[in-house]
Amino acid sequence: MNKTLSIGEISALFNLNVQTLIYYDSIGLLVPAERNPKNGYRRYRFDQIYKLATIRYLHRLGYSLKEIHASYLESRDIDSTLEQLRNQSSIIRKKAENLLNTDRAIQQKIHFIEQELPNVDIDRVSIKEFPDRYYFPIGGEELLYGDDWFYLNPTVVFYKGDSKYFGAYLFDDGENTILQKEMTDSLRFSVIPAGRFLCGYHQGAYGQIYESAQRIRKAGGELDLAEISIKFNIIDQFVERDSTNYITEVQIPIIDSEEHRERLLCL
């Protein structure tokens, strides 16, 4: 067996790109035992494969190359290793939980679109009844694009007079995954009160949505309608590039009692 291995042999042994090994050398993480002064070819001692295996193992566990180089390789003993592994496990579990929560929100947005789209009838105005529905308040448009909830959940927009504010609708897909206790303890959610709503649809850019809301209000006749109207974006800029194909459901609360009116004032 050769006492040293070429960079190509090390690359093949670990299924690593040669450029990765060159980078490891450049940052001092894995420096070859020999370098030919004429052609610069690198050669590694056979026992260096154990160090490289450790590097790959730690990198696979989520340690950055900087962390591996700066501390882990130089301070490895049973006690410090176990402590660092426990800490890393905690970090990975937190990342996994965040990814799982993100996937839950993505799945709910998919379910929301798949459930709502077959019901769309642009010309129809109807009365629908809903239970309490939950949303995460975001605020004005100036806050919208910096909030992750906006990107991961269906958007709900509240119009009242000349003002509007946004929320992330926590769509109930039948499993209530987004409302699980561990996800909501540290967050403040708001409620769209249960009741009857005069509902219709708007197709097109959001700039013309006011005209659709007025059309729907007019179709309500003598119904006692709240001043506020609520818009749920079904097809938006995240799933359709052409704004003429955007679809929004407009829901206007029907006031059934003074108590209901008071609850709606909180929106």
Side-chain angles (χ1 to χ4, degrees):
M1 180 180 293
N2 293 334
K3 292 183 179 181
T4 61
L5 300 171
S6 70
I7 193 170
E9 290 170 324
I10 290 283
S11 171
L13 186 62
F14 283 86
N15 194 26
L16 272 178
N17 191 293
V18 167
Q19 292 302 317
T20 300
L21 291 168
I22 293 174
Y23 178 68
Y24 286 179
D25 180 13
S26 71
I27 63 174
L29 185 60
L30 185 71
V31 178
E34 302 173 9
R35 188 191 300 269
N36 189 309
K38 295 181 180 180
N39 55 29
Y41 287 174
R42 298 166 173 84
R43 295 198 68 84
Y44 298 82
R45 294 191 315 273
F46 186 83
D47 62 4
Q48 285 187 284
I49 68 172
Y50 305 125
K51 182 176 182 179
L52 181 55
T54 302
I55 292 169
R56 299 299 292 165
Y57 166 70
L58 295 173
H59 199 39
R60 180 66 182 84
L61 293 183
Y63 289 95
S64 69
L65 295 180
K66 182 179 179 180
E67 289 171 327
I68 296 169
H69 187 35
S71 59
Y72 196 99
L73 288 177
E74 304 306 322
S75 62
R76 201 162 70 253
D77 59 56
I78 183 62
D79 292 331
S80 63
T81 296
L82 290 178
E83 181 62 23
Q84 290 190 55
L85 288 176
R86 290 188 187 98
N87 292 338
Q88 189 66 7
S89 176
S90 178
I91 292 170
I92 290 172
R93 286 174 181 271
K94 186 62 178 178
K95 288 180 179 178
E97 180 182 348
N98 289 338
L99 286 172
L100 183 58
N101 290 343
T102 298
D103 182 58
R104 287 169 174 163
I106 291 170
Q107 290 300 319
Q108 286 189 311
K109 186 161 187 174
I110 292 171
H111 294 163
F112 174 74
I113 294 172
E114 290 179 339
Q115 176 174 298
E116 296 299 320
L117 204 54
N119 301 323
V120 172
D121 184 339
I122 299 300
D123 298 320
R124 179 168 57 92
V125 176
S126 61
I127 294 175
K128 299 179 182 179
E129 189 164 355
F130 298 98
D132 283 348
R133 290 172 290 174
Y134 299 86
Y135 67 96
F136 179 70
I138 295 174
E141 193 162 12
E142 71 279 3
L143 301 174
L144 187 63
Y145 301 102
D147 197 300
D148 287 344
W149 286 86
F150 165 65
Y151 296 100
L152 295 175
N153 296 271
T155 303
V156 57
V157 191
F158 301 86
Y159 288 77
K160 191 173 185 179
D162 294 330
S163 65
K164 63 180 178 179
Y165 62 94
F166 295 79
Y169 177 43
L170 306 179
F171 172 61
D172 182 356
D173 64 356
E175 298 179 0
N176 295 304
T177 52
I178 199 68
L179 296 177
Q180 289 182 358
K181 186 177 185 300
E182 65 268 21
M183 297 179 64
T184 60
D185 279 346
S186 61
L187 299 171
R188 294 195 303 269
F189 294 109
S190 297
V191 178
I192 302 172
R196 297 189 302 151
F197 293 77
L198 184 67
C199 302
Y201 294 94
H202 166 76
Q203 180 171 351
Y206 302 132
Q208 289 78 49
I209 204 167
Y210 178 78
E211 288 79 4
S212 294
Q214 291 300 100
R215 170 180 58 84
I216 293 165
R217 281 185 180 275
K218 185 176 180 180
E222 300 300 318
L223 289 172
D224 188 5
L225 299 175
E227 181 183 354
I228 196 168
S229 57
I230 307 170
K231 280 78 171 181
F232 293 84
N233 293 349
I234 300 173
I235 300 299
D236 58 19
Q237 68 268 32
F238 298 122
V239 295
E240 172 60 58
R241 64 179 178 83
D242 185 351
S243 64
T244 62
N245 292 325
Y246 293 174
I247 296 176
T248 307
E249 183 173 18
V250 179
Q251 299 182 1
I252 304 171
I254 301 170
I255 299 173
D256 292 324
S257 66
E258 287 304 313
E259 179 183 358
H260 187 216
R261 189 189 303 273
E262 291 296 322
R263 290 193 72 195
L264 291 170
L265 290 176
C266 297
L267 290 173

